[in-house]
Amino acid sequence: MSTATVAEQYRALRQEAAAAVEALKQKPVVWVGTATCGVAAGALKIKEAFEQEIKERGLDVAVLETGCMGHCYAEPMAIIAKPGHVPLCYGRLDEGLVHRLVVDFLDGDDPGYEYALVALEPNDLFPTFSDFPRGVYEEKMILEQCGFIDPGNMDHYLARDGYAAVAKILEMKPEEVLAEVKAANLRGRGGAGFPAGEKWEACRKAPGEQKYVICNGDEGDPGAFMDRGLLESDPHRVIEGMIICAYAVGASRGYLYIRAEYPKAVERVEGAIARAREKGLLGQSILGSGFSFDLEVFQGSGAFVCGESSALVRSMEGKMGIPEVRPPRLAESGFRGCPTVLNNVKTFAYVPAIIMKGADWFRSTGTAGSPGTAVFSLVGKVNNTGLVEVPMGTTLRQLIFDVGEGIPGDKKFKAAQIGGPSGGCLPEAMLDVPIDFDSLQEAGAIMGSGGLVVLNEDDCMVAVARYFLEFTQHESCGKCTFCRLGTRHMLDILTDISRGKGSLESLELLQELCEDVRDGSLCNLGKTAPNPVLTTLRYFRDEYEAHILEGRCPSLMCKDLIVYYIEPKKCSKLCNVCVGSCPTEAIYTRDDGLKAINQEKCVKCDNCLKTCPVEYNAVIKLSPPSLLAEKEGKSK
Amino acid sequence: MELLEGEKEQILATVDAILNNQPLQKDRLIPVLQRVQAELGYLPGLAMEKIAAAAGVSAVEVYGLATFYNQFRLNPPGKHQLKVCMGTACYMVGGQIALESFERRLGIKEGETTPDRKFSLERVACVGCCTMAPVVVVDENVEGHVTPTRVDGILLSFEGEEGKTRGEAKSPAAVESEAKP
């Protein structure tokens, strides 16, 4: 077929979509963010409330769903775009505020600036995202449209030049596409940072009729959710990237491996695939070019080790996800023994923009060795939690204190846990490390899938190390002895330490085991499992020693090393909240009216501490428990 | 857990409907197990044996898959499923405390179902709502910022519901028959 047809067909599709989007702009639209995090914060109720209020007033307003804008701290959120006004975004919505906005803004003409979070277009009245510190650092390459388009409506993606890259590459030679991706030095965003272009080239060169493209959406790293956010908010971008990859390597079938724990992502991606197929962007002869490629979703059943490529492929073949010895690489012998490209969700998402704007544009952001941006899910003890995208090379300090706006309350920063169970904990002194694949590795952490958990003085580093080890120990597939048994032994040691039963010799053994497990494991699950322990031993050894030598948990977190105590000086005789909240009736009223805890009954559930009214704050934790006798002696 | 009356027939009928008398390719095993679990709520031994036979593999191979992957459960779920998130962010702000509170209130351990099959309690690795930690997934709803007192609140909200059921059907037998799917 002639090449003109591809461009013409695409132009027709785009025009139709643009007309539909333009028609939508003529009337007011309410966009409610309904990604999983928004829904968890009550977005569906907010959407219903909008619909109800609008219906009651008989207004002509469209209520649409959109994805995640990345500002999770302000969920549930909605954008109101009313012709004649700058589009405004409102956060922390509740039914009352919805009522107010419908009455005053949609029915009336008062945008309620006092409730608005941010304006989406530059204007004279209200700040936009780029006016906030976060906006200065953020540069959105792949999250650009998340939260601003309806992921369920393909027109929105098409109207913003979506699939233009597919139309463009279909008129290029596959080698040219490959050369562009290689020139961009796009490194795989799954964690290890292997150059995507090299992977694709190996697959292209590998002999074989049938080749596969697989997208790894098995985001198993606890604390990371950007793949979910992207799949839920902008699924077509990932699909487009996969089509381009398929064309470059000569594959005709692809799979999106998505965790079954992400039902919303599965639903939205399946919907997006069906719509792309209807429009001729997937399936036989895409845009009449003669190139055919089709996609389907494979639901992963939840095993952390399946993030490893050979394990993922095995699990798609209906086997247990146990990694295999490589080489052969997947690019030579992957799914069903055929050459296969496997990349992370984010890696594919960069591809359309690289094709449209060129490798130089991509390389102009980030560092020389790691071009482009890094996406982080910023969570934990930080003010602005959410999904952030910053250029590679941004420092952790900028990310936590400028983008995340620091630590809530008067608490002190302690560590940044980066890269999940395979990563490490970096202390204050390491905060000026630039974030890129190589610098983080040197510091003992890894980029990983981009989970960044901020820890403050209340977080015990022994507990953190123990938590991650418990996770990897449970998720170890059992193939390699060191990973299977070594992590078990390490976990036992850490459990003992957290109970105050450790010894200094056990720390030496722990260190040794870390090295053995790292060297004796086949895949990265085992190789990186010791990282959380190694980094905490390296940077926070004093905390381990406090547990061992003094039986004290400096962060007051390890249950066996703390006791709860009600300070008589602060306790109000008139309040009974703690007594009511105690599940085991451990709290009683003393003869003098003050409350006290019967330590034998106390299960350390934290209820009394949480419920004690802030004006008293009488419940405190003590560590080591021997302090209790001293306190009680004084109060008598 | 013992099968209730009529459950065996139901299991066989469900598996038959999903297999639809077609030979089962080995690489469809996981999707089939997922569908069976979606219908029945868990993978009974009987269902695994039937699926193994259809795929021409040994039953232990199917059992291996079911125990390897976190998604599959071998016990019937409770009428209400409580999944406590144990992702990093949740753990650090008290996920463990929430889990212990549920265990204490329900008198079961994680992975178990209450004897009346009303509640089942699980821990999950991460539901991806880290910014609302600690998170508990109650049936299909995600509950954020779950403190121990909120645990009581969640359980109380179901007590009200049960009260209604009791009011309508007074005999225990009727309640039990209603609990069956």
Side-chain angles (χ1 to χ4, degrees):
Chain A
M1 272 194 205
S2 73
T3 47
T5 339
V6 172
E8 274 168 25
Q9 282 207 19
Y10 174 71
R11 213 171 300 133
L13 276 181
R14 197 193 164 281
Q15 253 163 19
E16 194 188 321
V21 171
E22 204 48 47
L24 190 65
K25 279 188 187 156
Q26 303 310 311
K27 62 176 181 178
V29 183
V30 177
W31 302 85
V32 185
T34 57
T36 301
C37 40
V39 171
L44 291 182
K45 276 188 207 127
I46 295 300
K47 185 169 174 244
E48 253 170 54
F50 267 116
E51 282 164 345
Q52 184 68 26
E53 294 273 351
I54 287 166
K55 202 174 142 204
E56 273 171 21
R57 281 175 182 72
L59 302 173
D60 183 21
V61 178
V63 180
L64 299 177
E65 290 189 22
T66 183
C68 170
M69 229 179 280
H71 290 247
C72 304
Y73 59 91
E75 296 282 7
M77 297 168 84
I79 298 169
I80 299 183
K82 190 177 177 185
H85 287 271
V86 60
L88 285 167
C89 172
Y90 301 85
R92 300 190 179 97
L93 290 171
D94 56 36
E95 272 100 339
L97 201 48
V98 168
H99 174 79
R100 174 84 211 269
L101 287 171
V102 173
V103 173
D104 289 352
F105 190 16
L106 292 172
D107 208 3
D109 219 25
D110 170 16
Y113 285 116
E114 62 270 43
Y115 303 114
L117 198 66
V118 70
L120 300 182
E121 284 165 15
N123 64 93
D124 299 332
L125 283 167
F126 209 76
T128 59
F129 278 122
S130 56
D131 296 321
F132 289 96
R134 178 170 166 169
V136 176
Y137 291 98
E138 271 202 302
E139 186 174 332
K140 296 202 171 185
M141 278 184 172
I142 55 172
L143 299 181
E144 180 194 10
Q145 296 176 9
C146 293
F148 303 111
I149 61 170
D150 181 353
N153 187 335
M154 191 171 168
D155 285 343
H156 295 210
Y157 184 70
L158 274 170
R160 292 182 174 222
D161 288 327
Y163 289 104
V166 166
K168 184 174 171 185
I169 54 132
L170 290 175
E171 296 183 347
M172 290 161 72
K173 288 202 185 78
E175 292 83 3
E176 291 168 346
V177 179
L178 201 60
E180 195 70 37
V181 175
K182 273 189 82 176
N185 190 16
L186 171 63
R187 296 178 66 170
R189 261 36 179 193
F194 191 81
E198 273 179 42
K199 225 183 229 182
W200 295 17
E201 190 171 40
C203 181
R204 176 167 180 79
K205 283 189 181 151
E209 279 290 296
Q210 179 72 54
K211 291 174 184 175
Y212 294 100
V213 172
I214 302 175
C215 174
N216 183 351
D218 187 43
E219 193 169 51
D221 179 349
F225 53 92
M226 63 285 287
D227 293 354
R228 192 211 74 211
L230 197 53
L231 290 170
E232 283 177 358
S233 308
D234 201 1
H236 286 287
R237 182 180 292 261
V238 181
I239 294 172
E240 187 175 4
M242 291 184 72
I243 298 173
I244 296 167
C245 172
Y247 182 74
V249 304
S252 59
R253 280 208 72 79
Y255 294 87
L256 277 132
Y257 188 101
I258 306 174
R259 284 175 70 188
E261 283 101 324
Y262 287 172
K264 191 129 199 162
V266 171
E267 176 199 316
R268 285 195 174 161
V269 171
E270 279 181 341
I273 290 174
R275 262 165 247 122
R277 212 176 275 143
E278 275 165 31
K279 303 248 182 199
L281 285 159
L282 277 177
Q284 289 296 314
S285 185
I286 292 173
L287 293 173
S289 64
F291 168 68
S292 305
F293 177 67
D294 212 344
L295 265 178
E296 76 185 85
V297 170
F298 184 93
Q299 291 193 43
S301 293
F304 182 60
V305 69
C306 286
E308 205 276 344
S309 51
S310 60
L312 184 144
V313 165
R314 276 184 66 112
S315 97
M316 284 180 61
E317 290 168 348
K319 301 174 195 155
M320 283 183 244
I322 295 175
E324 282 171 275
V325 180
R326 288 178 290 166
R329 288 230 186 93
L330 286 193
E332 288 139 21
S333 171
F335 185 46
R336 296 181 180 140
C338 302
T340 304
V341 168
L342 182 103
N343 274 130
N344 178 267
V345 173
K346 283 160 289 189
T347 317
F348 284 120
Y350 282 105
V351 175
I354 291 176
I355 296 296
M356 290 313 287
K357 298 177 184 172
D360 290 336
W361 164 81
F362 183 72
R363 292 171 67 111
S364 67
T365 302
T367 61
S370 311
T373 55
V375 182
F376 284 98
S377 50
L378 191 57
V379 294
K381 312 285 171 62
V382 61
N383 277 314
N384 286 354
T385 52
L387 272 190
V388 296
E389 184 172 1
V390 292
M392 289 273 188
T394 308
T395 65
L396 279 171
R397 192 182 299 278
Q398 287 165 333
L399 194 58
I400 294 167
F401 289 93
D402 294 328
V403 178
E405 290 188 8
I407 318 294
D410 297 325
K411 302 285 182 178
K412 251 181 71 192
F413 170 86
K414 185 184 269 182
Q417 206 290 334
I418 189 163
S422 315
C425 295
L426 301 181
E428 171 99 47
M430 303 294 285
L431 278 185
D432 293 307
V433 169
I435 297 165
D436 63 59
F437 291 104
D438 312 309
S439 313
L440 283 176
Q441 193 131 23
E442 264 167 49
I446 62 161
M447 186 85 161
S449 51
L452 179 61
V453 186
V454 181
L455 307 173
N456 73 6
E457 53 186 291
D458 293 338
D459 298 318
C460 170
M461 301 316 284
V462 178
V464 171
R466 197 191 156 273
Y467 163 75
F468 282 116
L469 211 65
E470 191 178 22
F471 179 82
T472 33
Q473 205 281 321
H474 180 252
E475 293 292 336
S476 168
C477 77
K479 179 169 182 151
C480 309
T481 317
F482 277 102
C483 179
R484 185 179 68 241
L485 300 176
T487 54
R488 171 98 251 168
H489 198 159
M490 284 163 67
L491 182 61
D492 288 345
I493 296 176
L494 286 171
T495 307
D496 279 349
I497 295 176
S498 71
R499 288 184 179 156
K501 291 179 193 155
S503 65
L504 287 179
E505 294 81 65
S506 64
L507 278 189
E508 300 309 314
L509 181 60
L510 191 60
Q511 179 93 31
E512 223 173 278
L513 276 167
C514 283
E515 284 153 24
D516 293 341
V517 171
R518 190 180 57 200
D519 299 338
S521 304
L522 177 66
C523 81
N524 272 330
L525 186 143
K527 279 187 195 304
T528 58
N531 277 351
V533 182
L534 281 171
T535 46
T536 46
L537 270 177
R538 181 162 146 197
Y539 300 120
F540 301 97
R541 200 180 176 92
D542 54 326
E543 291 201 17
Y544 281 88
E545 285 169 357
H547 282 77
I548 294 171
L549 300 173
E550 303 168 45
R552 175 173 69 93
C553 176
S555 312
L556 305 175
M557 196 175 166
C558 293
K559 260 176 91 171
D560 293 284
L561 302 182
I562 57 168
V563 283
Y564 284 78
Y565 177 66
I566 300 175
E567 288 199 284
K569 269 186 201 156
K570 292 192 192 162
C571 177
S572 157
K573 292 181 185 178
L574 303 170
C575 154
N576 262 322
V577 173
C578 54
V579 178
S581 78
C582 182
T584 56
E585 295 175 10
I587 303 183
Y588 60 95
T589 308
R590 304 193 326 197
D591 293 343
D592 55 8
L594 296 170
K595 309 291 177 278
I597 301 174
N598 177 348
Q599 298 296 340
E600 272 169 25
K601 283 190 184 170
C602 176
V603 290
K604 299 173 188 170
C605 72
D606 220 32
N607 257 356
C608 49
L609 193 139
K610 284 260 162 58
T611 49
C612 183
V614 279
E615 57 266 43
Y616 310 132
N617 264 342
V619 183
I620 57 164
K621 293 189 268 189
L622 299 173
S623 179
S626 53
L627 283 180
L628 188 67
E630 202 180 298
K631 282 266 183 191
E632 279 180 343
K634 262 187 210 159
S635 75
K636 266 171 197 166
Chain B
M1 224 170 223
E2 289 292 311
L3 291 182
L4 300 176
E5 205 180 312
E7 267 184 333
K8 190 175 162 190
E9 290 70 26
Q10 194 209 344
I11 290 166
L12 292 176
T14 310
V15 177
D16 277 339
I18 289 169
L19 291 174
N20 198 17
N21 270 331
Q22 302 289 316
L24 178 60
Q25 295 293 322
K26 219 184 144 196
D27 60 3
R28 301 301 297 169
L29 269 176
I30 293 178
V32 164
L33 291 176
Q34 284 169 338
R35 281 189 58 193
V36 170
Q37 175 155 311
E39 296 267 332
L40 295 174
Y42 74 117
L43 295 178
L46 200 59
M48 285 191 272
E49 280 165 24
K50 246 186 116 63
I51 293 167
V57 298
S58 65
V60 73
E61 216 165 310
V62 176
Y63 180 76
L65 285 176
T67 47
F68 186 87
Y69 293 102
N70 295 327
Q71 185 193 3
F72 300 118
R73 51 180 308 144
L74 306 178
N75 279 321
K79 190 175 164 206
H80 298 294
Q81 297 184 44
L82 307 163
K83 295 176 192 157
V84 184
C85 180
M86 279 291 157
T88 321
C90 290
Y91 177 81
M92 294 319 293
V93 293
Q96 187 71 35
I97 290 174
L99 180 66
E100 279 167 15
S101 303
F102 275 117
E103 288 181 343
R104 194 168 46 239
R105 286 281 177 205
L106 296 172
I108 53 171
K109 293 277 165 215
E110 55 145 304
E112 293 180 351
T113 305
T114 50
D116 62 358
R117 294 210 188 174
K118 190 169 172 207
F119 293 105
S120 54
L121 184 62
E122 285 167 73
R123 61 186 282 171
V124 289
C126 183
V127 288
C129 298
C130 311
T131 56
M132 309 181 47
V135 167
V136 176
V137 186
V138 182
D139 294 328
E140 297 300 311
N141 305 317
V142 181
E143 294 266 351
H145 309 296
V146 180
T147 55
T149 36
R150 181 79 196 114
V151 167
D152 297 347
I154 291 169
L155 295 179
L156 270 175
S157 70
F158 290 118
E159 249 168 48
E161 172 206 62
E162 196 194 35
K164 266 180 240 155
T165 333
R166 269 198 201 127
E168 286 156 16
K170 289 199 177 76
S171 74
V175 174
E176 205 186 323
S177 71
E178 214 163 274
K180 281 179 210 161

